[in-house]
Amino acid sequence: MPLESFSKETAERYFDWAATAIPDAEILREALEESLELWQNPSSAHSGGKRAKAALDEARKKCAEALGARAENIFFTSGGTEANHIPLLSILNRPERGEILFSSVEHPAVREMSLELKHCGFSVRQIPCDKNGIVTAQNVRECLTDETLFVGVMAVNNETGAVQPVCEIAETLDEFYKGRRRPKFHVDCVQALGKIPLSLARCSIDSAAASAHKICGPRGIGILYLKNPLEPFLRGGGQEGGIRSGTENIFGALAFAKCIERYAGNSLAEKIEVQKNLTAEFISKLNAIKSCAIIPPARAENPGSEDFSPWIVQAAFKGIPGNVMLRALDAKGFAISTGSACSSKKASRPVLEAMGIGKDLRESAVRFSFGPSTTARAMDALFEEVKEICAQFST
């Protein structure tokens, strides 16, 4: 449930869930109360430390079960960005300097860090996407070489909602490198957790990242999934199996586990189906607005396509800059975004550029994103306000 500091109207008019979810007050309070009783350091050998360690391990076990993984493969981090960085930075321990591949639609957490590694002697290339923002297994295959050390492709794009075929990509890597050293395959699952079915051990993914604040949890806690151990570049006290040193965030881990159970558990399939229908209707309504262009256009033709997450919709309104639409809706109490919150102060739109979207549409594009408490009534109200703003600009 939303925090009491939010009015019901504010919560209903919130359509920026891909940036951060409305916190679940019940879960956060419960986790905080439990953590206040478990304040000792989990690494301490005394009984208090052991109790804290047991609670941390139980939280890890719950997260693993929801993610289709084993507890020993789950490591808590400070968030999605760090969980993305740990596998990428681990290649700095390799004696050779090979190639890093990442998709042209990656989140800045992977894209920007990959580009930084150019300064460390690595070759860095982007894997192209198609016009729908999807990176196919064939796209990846055509980029692979014997020098490739790392491949990064996100599960769900944070701007368009495009669902990437990560299991097919993993199979392609297995086939291409059969009998040879295979590059590590990392998947950013930050926008996938609690939004699409997710079983990390189902295919040959080497590592994956997730973040609690995207599923109504607290900020400052993330998860790194590792199929096999790696040698971390950053060292310290050896916590989290040596993968992520630093005193553990007991409150964050407890809250994350509770959020995963509530928002990514057994009822997820039903929630997805409900949202799929709501989003398909929303897209159809938007498409009826003369100045609206759904991005990509194929989504307008098939609003319920399985190729896109039903929790994110990207659209452009011709003649209305994205930041103008954002401010106009904000004045009415509706919260949306013009793209990734992490890049909101940057004028460029790398994801849309990679898709071949023209400059005019890129500058007019906005993102609507939904969450577990989004209602049909709220989405109808959003549509009516968007339609009114478009009408004002057309006169």
Side-chain angles (χ1 to χ4, degrees):
M1 63 179 69
L3 293 171
E4 283 81 348
S5 58
F6 287 94
S7 68
K8 184 178 180 181
E9 183 181 34
T10 298
E12 285 190 345
R13 294 188 173 193
Y14 185 68
F15 294 96
D16 198 20
W17 289 81
T20 196
I22 298 176
D24 187 309
E26 179 183 357
I27 283 179
L28 267 61
R29 287 199 183 94
E30 188 177 305
L32 179 58
E33 289 174 3
E34 290 178 14
S35 67
L36 290 174
E37 297 295 323
L38 298 165
W39 52 268
Q40 294 94 335
N41 193 316
S43 296
S44 296
H46 49 65
S47 58
K50 290 178 180 178
R51 283 195 298 272
K53 178 67 162 56
L56 183 68
D57 289 343
E58 181 62 22
R60 193 187 317 279
K61 179 182 176 183
K62 290 179 179 178
C63 290
E65 289 173 353
L67 293 170
R70 295 179 300 176
E72 55 265 34
N73 299 125
I74 299 297
F75 303 89
F76 290 113
T77 69
S78 66
T81 294
E82 186 183 33
N84 279 318
H85 286 180
I86 290 173
L88 183 53
L89 291 178
S90 71
I91 67 173
L92 288 169
N93 291 313
R94 291 175 175 264
E96 72 272 30
R97 288 294 184 261
E99 182 178 60
I100 298 168
L101 297 178
F102 65 93
S103 84
S104 57
V105 294
E106 285 303 293
H107 187 276
V110 172
R111 181 179 67 242
E112 297 301 321
M113 181 52 71
S114 296
L115 292 172
E116 279 298 309
L117 289 179
K118 278 185 177 182
H119 303 302
C120 298
F122 292 92
S123 171
V124 179
R125 282 195 297 147
Q126 293 190 42
I127 307 165
C129 66
D130 64 18
K131 62 182 181 180
N132 294 318
I134 294 174
V135 178
T136 67
Q138 185 59 33
N139 290 148
V140 175
R141 178 184 286 274
E142 291 172 357
C143 291
L144 298 175
T145 71
D146 288 339
E147 302 300 315
T148 306
L149 299 176
F150 181 94
V151 177
V153 180
M154 69 195 320
V156 174
N157 185 261
N158 55 299
E159 293 190 37
T160 66
V163 177
Q164 308 299 345
V166 293
C167 284
E168 290 179 35
I169 292 171
E171 291 174 5
T172 294
L173 290 170
D174 288 341
E175 292 169 6
F176 188 89
Y177 292 98
K178 191 172 184 179
R180 296 179 291 160
R181 178 190 57 78
R182 176 185 178 278
K184 297 298 182 182
F185 180 38
H186 176 72
V187 179
D188 179 344
C189 291
V190 169
Q191 291 293 345
L193 179 62
K195 305 298 176 63
I196 64 171
L198 194 62
S199 180
L200 297 177
R202 187 165 57 89
C203 52
S204 298
I205 294 171
D206 293 294
S207 56
S211 182
H213 79 99
K214 304 294 188 180
I215 58 167
C216 305
R219 299 168 192 176
I221 184 73
I223 280 176
L224 169 63
Y225 162 81
L226 289 177
K227 182 180 179 181
N228 296 302
L230 57 72
E231 186 178 355
F233 178 71
L234 299 177
R235 306 301 178 97
Q239 293 90 343
E240 292 299 294
I243 299 298
R244 197 276 178 180
S245 292
T247 303
E248 299 91 338
N249 179 355
I250 295 290
F251 159 70
L254 294 175
F256 204 165
K258 294 175 188 294
C259 284
I260 280 184
E261 285 188 309
R262 179 169 294 182
Y263 296 104
N266 296 331
S267 62
L268 179 58
E270 182 181 343
K271 293 175 184 176
I272 292 172
E273 195 60 33
V274 170
Q275 188 60 45
K276 186 189 298 182
N277 293 331
L278 291 177
T279 299
E281 183 178 354
F282 181 69
I283 290 173
S284 296
K285 287 180 176 180
L286 286 180
N287 202 40
I289 298 176
K290 190 174 182 180
S291 63
C292 179
I294 302 297
I295 300 175
R299 199 170 186 190
E301 299 165 8
N302 184 9
S305 172
E306 297 287 341
D307 291 333
F308 296 91
S309 164
W311 306 92
I312 296 174
V313 173
Q314 181 90 195
F317 299 89
K318 298 167 186 176
I320 309 176
N323 58 358
V324 172
M325 176 61 79
L326 185 155
R327 290 198 299 270
L329 284 171
D330 189 43
K332 299 292 185 177
F334 291 87
I336 65 165
S337 71
T338 54
S340 170
C342 299
S343 303
S344 61
K345 293 181 174 62
K346 298 179 181 179
S348 63
R349 298 292 299 275
V351 170
L352 301 187
E353 288 178 29
M355 293 168 61
I357 304 298
K359 183 179 179 182
D360 289 346
L361 284 186
R362 292 201 308 268
E363 292 179 349
S364 297
V366 295
R367 179 184 68 185
F368 305 105
S369 53
F370 319 111
S373 63
T374 301
T375 64
R377 182 181 66 179
M379 292 178 71
D380 286 342
L382 172 64
F383 167 72
E384 292 299 330
E385 201 59 56
V386 169
K387 185 171 70 171
E388 183 177 328
I389 292 169
C390 291
Q392 291 172 357
F393 274 84
S394 67
T395 57

